Amino acid sequence: MPADVVFRVGRAYGMTAERRIHQAVAVEDGRITAVGRARDELDSLIGPGTAVIDDPELVLYPAFADTHNHQLLAARDLDYVPLEQARSLDELVQALREAATRTPPGQWIISSRCWHETHLREGRLPTARELDAASGGHPVFVQRGGHVGVANSAALRMAGITATSADPPSGTVVRLGDGTPAGALIEAGALDPVRRLLPPVTEAQQADLLARQCRLYNQRGIGVVRDPGLVPDELAVYQAVADRGELTTRTRLMFWVLPQATVAGTLAYIDSLPEPGPISADGGLGIWGLKLGMDGGVEGGFLCQPYANNPEFRGHAFWEPDDFEQVVEHAVGRGWRVGCHAVGDCAVGRVLDAYERVASRHPGLPPGTLVIEHAFLADAGIRARAVRLGVGVTVQHPLLYSLGGNLVRYWGQDRTGQVMPVRAWVDEGALIAAGSDCNVSFFDPLLSIWGLVTRGTRTVGVQGPEYRVDAYTAIRLYTEAAGRLLREDGDVGILAPGAFADIVGFRADLLDCPVDDLPSQQPALTLVGGRPVHDPDGLLGLLGAAGHGAA
Ligand SMILES: [Zn+2]
C-alpha cells in the first residue's frame, strides 16, 4: 500500500526510549506507518500519489505537545490590546490610549493577559489613576495572567468597587490609605465584579479566534495542546472549529471545577459535565479530565513559610482539605482524571495528601490519573511521594521566565531558585511533561526548551541552575513525555509506526545547535494527523489544499 507521504531526511528523532534516529518516515491516513534507518529504506512505499519530501537538511521531531496551554483563553486575547511590548507604564498607557481612540466612548478597553509588570521600567502594576490617563470616557480593564487585573476609575465605579464597598470574601481589592480602591484586583473574588461586565464574545467570534490561535501554535511547531480549564459551554466552540476542519492542534480539554457553596453542589456539577474521552473519531479532540485549583499564583500561592515581602501572609488556599478529597474521590470514582493547580509548597502538599488517600482507596489507579499542575515548590519528600503514587506533574518554564522578578520579590531568592525542580523530577523518575501556561506567559516551545536547558529568566538571570536539563530531555518533555502524561503513549509524542503523524521539521538540528540559537529556530514544516498545518515553503501544499489525510 503506497504511503501518502514519504520523508527522506537528514535525521528524524523517534524520541522513544531506544533513542532511535531515522532517515525515512512514511505517513498514511494520518498516522506514521513506517520508519527507516536509511533515506531510501522506505522507497518501496512510494506510489503515484505519494508526496516525497526529499531533503537531507530537514530534521524531524514529533510535533511539540504543550501540556498546559489555555488555548481558548489565549485565542480570546487575540483581539485585545497587547501589552507584551510595553517597557514602561507610559508605553502601556499609550497602547491603551491608541485603542481608546479607535473605540466608541463607553465601550470597554481590555488588555490581553500575557504581559507582566516586572518587564516595565517601574516594575509594578499601573494604578486606576494612571489608567484614567488612557481614557476617562472608557472603562479600562488591564488583565494580567489569570489572577490579577487592574481597572480604571470608570470600570471600578461600574463594578461597584468603591471606598466604602465591602471586601470580597476571597481575593484582594488593593486600597489606598483612605480606602479608595487603587485599581489592582487580585484573585477571582475581587476580579469577578469587573469580569461580569465585560462584553460577551459570540461563539462564532470565538471559533474564528480559536482557529487563528491554532495556526499561531503550528507556526512554532506545536501540534498537541492540553487546555486546562474550560466551562462546559466552551466545548461547543471547540466542536465548531473541529467540525470546520480548523482545529489544527490535537487538543485535550479539562473542565474547571470551582468549589460550589456545598460539596454536594460541586459533585452534582461534576455529574452534569460531558463524559471524558475522545470527541472526534480521528483523535483530534478529546476530554482529558477535570481541573481544580488549590491556591493562587505568585502573589497568592499557599506557602508553608511567610512571603518574603509580607511576614503576615502565606497565600490563599481555595479548598478545605476534606472537601477537596471528597471531590477528587468522587471524580476518580466516575472515571475522571484530575489535574490540580498548586504552586506553593503547602498547596502541593495538601493536594498530594488528598491524592494519596484517594489512590489508597483505588488500587491499580493508572499513573497520570492524578496530576499536579505547576508544582512550583516540591522538595525531595514531596517528589518521592508523587513518584511513588504515579502522580503526574506538568511544568512550564515560561512562568519562571516571565514571573521570575515577581517570584524573587514575593517568595524571595531561595524559593525562586527552587521553583520547578525539573532536573530532580526527571532524575527521580517522575511522570512529568512540559508546557507553557500560555496565556499567563508566552507559548513559544523553542524559547521554553531554551529555558529548560538554561533556567534563564527575562529579568532576574539564571534561577536554580542545578535544575537544568539537557536539550534532548527538554525536547522529550515536550514530546514523548507529554504523550505518557496524556496516557496516549504510542500515539502522541513519538515518531514510530502507529503514532499520529504529528511532526515538526527544522532545517537545523535542535540537539546540535548552540543553546542560545534555539529560540530563533523556525519550523520549516508542521504536520498534525498527517496534514500540513504550517508549510511556508509549500513542501506539501497540494496535500493540504486537497484535505488529503486530514486530521
Ligand atoms: Zn494555567
Side-chain angles (χ1 to χ4, degrees):
M1 187 77 171
D4 296 332
V5 187
V6 169
F7 288 94
R8 305 165 96 249
V9 296
R11 290 178 193 172
Y13 286 94
M15 300 310 291
T16 56
E18 306 81 45
R19 293 198 170 211
R20 291 238 164 81
I21 300 174
H22 319 294
Q23 286 197 305
V25 176
V27 172
E28 196 191 323
D29 279 339
R31 297 224 182 220
I32 293 169
T33 50
V35 293
R37 272 177 198 229
R39 280 161 48 72
D40 58 4
E41 199 174 313
L42 302 180
D43 286 1
S44 61
L45 298 174
I46 298 172
T50 303
V52 180
I53 309 291
D54 189 355
D55 188 339
E57 277 185 17
L58 211 54
V59 183
L60 305 183
Y61 306 82
F64 301 126
D66 187 332
T67 54
H68 189 115
N69 182 316
H70 299 272
Q71 184 169 242
L72 182 55
L73 267 181
R76 284 206 201 106
D77 269 5
L78 280 174
D79 285 341
Y80 289 152
V81 183
L83 300 177
E84 293 98 301
Q85 302 307 323
R87 292 290 171 271
S88 65
L89 285 169
D90 264 356
E91 288 181 23
L92 180 144
V93 168
Q94 180 57 27
L96 296 163
R97 188 183 294 126
E98 278 164 22
T101 61
R102 302 189 300 266
T103 308
Q107 291 189 14
W108 283 85
I109 307 295
I110 304 166
S111 84
S112 71
R113 296 170 186 79
C114 184
W115 68 280
H116 206 277
E117 66 273 15
T118 53
H119 306 154
L120 305 176
R121 197 153 45 236
E122 296 83 352
R124 62 168 174 84
L125 293 168
T127 63
R129 291 284 293 277
E130 283 162 344
L131 295 183
D132 291 346
S135 170
H138 299 80
V140 176
F141 185 47
V142 166
Q143 319 183 74
R144 202 275 279 146
H147 302 271
V148 176
V150 186
N152 75 343
S153 299
L156 289 169
R157 221 167 23 244
M158 288 166 67
I161 302 168
T162 67
T164 53
S165 61
D167 278 324
S170 71
T172 307
V173 173
V174 179
R175 295 179 184 277
L176 305 175
D178 64 355
T180 312
L185 306 168
I186 298 170
E187 304 300 347
L191 289 161
D192 282 348
V194 174
R195 285 178 175 163
R196 273 195 287 272
L197 302 174
L198 303 180
V201 184
T202 68
E203 203 173 289
Q205 286 168 325
Q206 290 185 58
D208 291 344
L209 293 167
L210 180 57
R212 275 166 61 195
Q213 189 72 19
C214 291
R215 289 299 170 134
L216 292 176
Y217 290 175
N218 300 150
Q219 286 166 20
R220 295 305 285 159
I222 295 175
V224 182
V225 166
R226 175 168 168 266
D227 186 338
L230 300 182
V231 298
D233 287 353
E234 292 171 331
L235 180 57
V237 178
Y238 266 107
Q239 272 175 317
V241 179
D243 289 348
R244 279 160 36 177
E246 294 180 28
L247 188 67
T248 59
T249 55
R250 188 178 304 288
T251 305
R252 304 296 178 248
L253 307 176
M254 298 167 73
F255 289 118
W256 249 122
V257 177
L258 293 169
Q260 314 273 318
T262 63
V263 173
T266 311
L267 305 188
Y269 171 74
I270 290 172
D271 291 342
S272 75
L273 293 169
E275 303 239 318
I279 294 178
S280 58
D282 63 6
L285 181 61
I287 298 173
W288 181 89
L290 305 178
K291 168 80 180 293
L292 282 73
M294 179 52 80
D295 64 346
V298 172
E299 299 83 358
F302 181 31
L303 301 179
C304 297
Q305 301 298 323
Y307 274 59
N309 62 343
N310 181 355
E312 307 293 306
F313 185 62
R314 286 180 44 216
H316 304 284
F318 298 135
W319 289 89
E320 290 303 322
D322 289 350
D323 295 357
F324 181 77
E325 185 181 333
Q326 270 190 65
V327 168
V328 174
E329 172 71 35
H330 181 84
V332 168
R334 296 260 184 307
W336 284 99
R337 285 181 278 180
V338 176
C340 185
H341 165 115
V343 299
D345 37 5
C346 263
V348 175
R350 187 175 283 190
V351 171
L352 208 50
D353 289 345
Y355 281 1
E356 189 158 29
R357 287 190 290 266
V358 170
S360 73
R361 289 189 293 265
H362 297 267
L365 204 62
T369 302
L370 301 170
V371 173
I372 303 181
E373 313 291 328
H374 319 305
F376 272 11
L377 295 180
D379 64 17
I382 291 272
R383 295 195 302 267
R385 286 170 70 200
V387 171
R388 180 169 48 79
L389 293 168
V391 167
V393 175
T394 68
V395 288
Q396 303 78 25
H397 184 82
L399 292 174
L400 182 57
Y401 181 88
S402 298
L403 309 181
N406 253 20
L407 276 162
V408 170
R409 189 165 131 214
Y410 283 79
W411 295 15
Q413 184 59 61
D414 284 356
R415 280 182 292 201
T416 301
Q418 296 299 311
V419 163
M420 288 184 289
V422 177
R423 171 73 182 273
W425 280 119
V426 169
D427 287 352
E428 292 160 16
L431 177 60
I432 177 179
S436 66
D437 208 6
C438 177
N439 60 350
V440 179
S441 191
F442 58 84
F443 65 79
D444 189 346
L446 291 150
L447 183 51
S448 183
I449 287 165
W450 170 88
L452 289 164
V453 173
T454 62
R455 297 280 295 187
T457 66
R458 182 156 160 179
T459 58
V460 288
V462 169
Q463 294 292 325
E466 65 271 36
Y467 298 124
R468 286 171 174 157
V469 296
D470 60 275
Y472 187 89
T473 301
I475 292 172
R476 199 175 60 73
L477 291 172
Y478 256 99
T479 55
E480 183 267 350
R484 280 191 294 127
L485 185 114
L486 294 169
R487 241 159 52 207
E488 298 192 56
D489 35 326
D491 283 332
V492 169
I494 55 173
L495 302 186
F500 290 126
D502 303 343
I503 301 171
V504 60
F506 293 84
R507 290 220 165 72
D509 191 334
L510 304 180
L511 292 161
D512 252 4
C513 75
V515 65
D516 288 334
D517 289 352
L518 281 169
S520 59
Q521 297 299 331
Q522 302 291 338
L525 180 70
T526 310
L527 302 186
V528 173
R531 173 186 172 198
V533 293
H534 169 66
D535 186 7
D537 301 336
L539 299 175
L540 283 165
L542 291 173
L543 193 70
H548 191 55

